[in-house]
Amino acid sequence: MMKNAVGRELPERIGSYVVRPYAGPEATPALETPVQSRRIAGRARPEQSKLLPSLTEAIRAVGLKDGMTISFHHSFREGDLVVGQVLEAIRALGIKDLRFAPSAVVNPKGLSLASFVQDGTISRVEASGIRGELGDGLINGAISLTQPAILRTHGARPRAIEAGELSIDVAFIAASASDAWGNCTGQLGANPCGSLGYSFVDARSAEKVVVITDTLVEYPCCPASISQEYVDYVVQVEQIGDPAKIGAGAARLTKNPRDLQIAREVARVMAASRRFREGFSFQTGAGAIAIACTKYLGEEMKARNLRASFALGGITAGIVDLYDAGRVRVVECSQSFDAVAAKAILDRPGVVEIDNAAYANAFNKGNFLNHLDFGVLGALEVDTDFNVNILTGSSGQMMGGLGGGPDVAACAGVSIVALPILRGRTPSVVKRVFTCCTPGETVACVVTQAGIALNPRHRNYQELKEDLERAGIQLTTIEALQQLAESLTGVPKPIETTDEIVAVVEYRDGTVMDVIRKLKE
Amino acid sequence: MDLKQPAMAGTLESSDIQVTVVPNPGGGIAIELDSPVKAQFGDAIRDTVRAVLAEFGVEEARVQLLDQGALDCVIRARMQCAVCRAAQISYDWSREDRRP
């Protein structure tokens, strides 16, 4: 056993997985070798057709075999209809032992991912999160993989692909419109999901690429997010997803007074910072607090007559509203978080689709996050070292996904974790998070309904402290927040785990931040 | 104190607890608990329930708890209400004045 820089005990190996312990947000350098791709040259002929009549035909044509790696994007979230159709077709062909590597696991109604693990179709999983039946099954021991699931941030996934750690045999890319030669987009057609930002790296790096669409358009598809040059086959299905379910309730402005209060405080912190000036940049995200925060931030911008240079990441209707009001110059969409945002790219020149690697990958020649002033992050738990848990819930169950949270925290000048001090009887400001996902030293500030705490170990602590004090914002300590939460809830009994590791939480640089162990009965 | 009839208090809203108290002649105290935080706080919830029953001198009761993550003060209040309804008494508010 060894300890990493956030004090988590890790084994040196987990099966064949060699653990590189997390050493600090900037401590691990990139490899100085060429980026890897499995893409092979082709020789497309004008008379050739890429259009195949069914998913089964496409799976046969790409030569999918036992043990290979398949990938998907999760832009439809719980409205996704492609993952299930593809997995069913694979199961019917009897192909086993696959590594399932979507950008994140989705849980649409009627899809049981656990059943594909049970019957051996899937034996390994690598994703941003494994929320739902799959994750709970792994953590409770109801199902098991041949290797622990590897959980990566949105920035880490393209890094791992280009480092050759996640080598994709076949990428299945759902696109809401495509022509028969694979020029495709998420913006046109019957069911637009908006940005296809997660899939760019898959299209560039996979050995075979299958585009799956429900709206076949005349050649050439325009605009096209993914170019025909990367695409092997195109399959038309009845429906690829339901855009109404992308938001899954997240898109509505909350009426919860506690969440509104926290959101208002977050906007107040941002407005008090010296970084809140003409041309600033921000990412607010898609949780209930984040959406409300976007609204209050807009009010602060209006009051000071400021315009942001860019808004980043997962984009919501609220951010599109700010763009329309002239408050944001460019909206950089790595993902579209609701049906409004999904349609916004098409007719607004400053609302653009970006590659998820350009958004958050630390190991390339430039990413948007490096220029981010404010990042607002949701969390399940934060502890007195400011470490953040966005994966596991109060009884150890799989609740969330890493998303871009750890990437945003590492880069934003002011990274703000916004959360209530308790949810029900579960304290969310604790002494030690159950699973560490984001290292505390990258969190500048925690905002709760019971007070705001700054992190003395954050690189911009002095600056933020001066700015908030100048604005008359009262500060408390993270310890005081933790004690207040505990005084209301009582001390929870610790969650008991076995020694068996079911998931590895990787940091953006590929080192191990934490592991998730199977729960005791 | 003897309970005269089954009684309920509380709702199934988040952060509340629905308490049902039923007379249990000769059966002592039996507690059934369903809670999303059973693993972390199950013992604490049972302790609170027993403490409230003891404050009223109730020695025989079946208590059904459908918890939705209620805080201790909420559990206490719902229990007090359910016991008063089951015993057909009014709450003695002077107890609050004697509280330290």
Side-chain angles (χ1 to χ4, degrees), chain B residues 21-99:
Chain B
V21 178
V22 181
N24 196 24
I29 288 173
I31 300 171
E32 282 170 53
L33 170 64
D34 186 11
S35 168
V37 292
K38 200 169 173 175
Q40 292 82 53
F41 294 108
D43 291 345
I45 294 169
R46 284 194 191 86
D47 287 349
T48 299
V49 167
R50 284 208 180 81
V52 173
L53 292 172
E55 281 166 29
F56 283 93
V58 176
E59 286 165 357
E60 297 181 321
R62 200 153 57 78
V63 183
Q64 221 177 35
L65 304 161
L66 296 174
D67 175 46
Q68 302 291 345
L71 294 177
D72 201 60
C73 51
V74 175
I75 299 170
R76 191 169 272 283
R78 295 305 193 193
M79 272 300 296
Q80 289 169 340
C81 179
V83 168
C84 289
R85 284 172 177 169
Q88 294 179 322
I89 57 168
S90 305
Y91 187 70
D92 174 11
W93 291 99
S94 70
R95 288 158 62 131
E96 299 301 314
D97 300 330
R98 295 194 294 272
R99 213 177 275 282

Side-chain angles (χ1 to χ4, degrees), chain A residues 394-396 422-427 488-495, chain B residues 14-15 36-37 39-41 43-45 48 68-72 75:
Chain A
S394 59
S395 48
L422 43 98
R423 294 183 176 97
R425 194 174 178 158
T426 306
L488 291 165
T489 65
V491 183
K493 275 195 185 166
I495 301 160
Chain B
S14 178
S15 298
V37 292
Q40 292 82 53
F41 294 108
D43 291 345
I45 294 169
T48 299
Q68 302 291 345
L71 294 177
D72 201 60
I75 299 170

Side-chain angles (χ1 to χ4, degrees), chain A residues 42 45 80 87 142 154 173 179 192 199 280 332 348 362 372 419 433 485 490:
Chain A
R45 306 267 173 202
D80 184 274
L87 287 177
H154 288 336
I173 300 175
D179 62 39
S199 288
F280 79 102
E332 308 280 1
R348 291 170 176 84
L372 190 67
L419 83 178
V433 286

Side-chain angles (χ1 to χ4, degrees), chain A residues 130-143 396-399:
Chain A
I130 49 173
R131 187 162 56 92
E133 188 200 18
L134 178 66
D136 287 340
L138 292 175
I139 208 164
N140 297 327
I143 51 172
Q397 75 277 32
M398 290 285 183
M399 292 276 290

Side-chain angles (χ1 to χ4, degrees), chain A residues 78-89:
Chain A
E78 316 313 46
D80 184 274
L81 292 171
V82 159
V83 173
Q85 290 182 65
V86 171
L87 287 177
E88 290 289 356

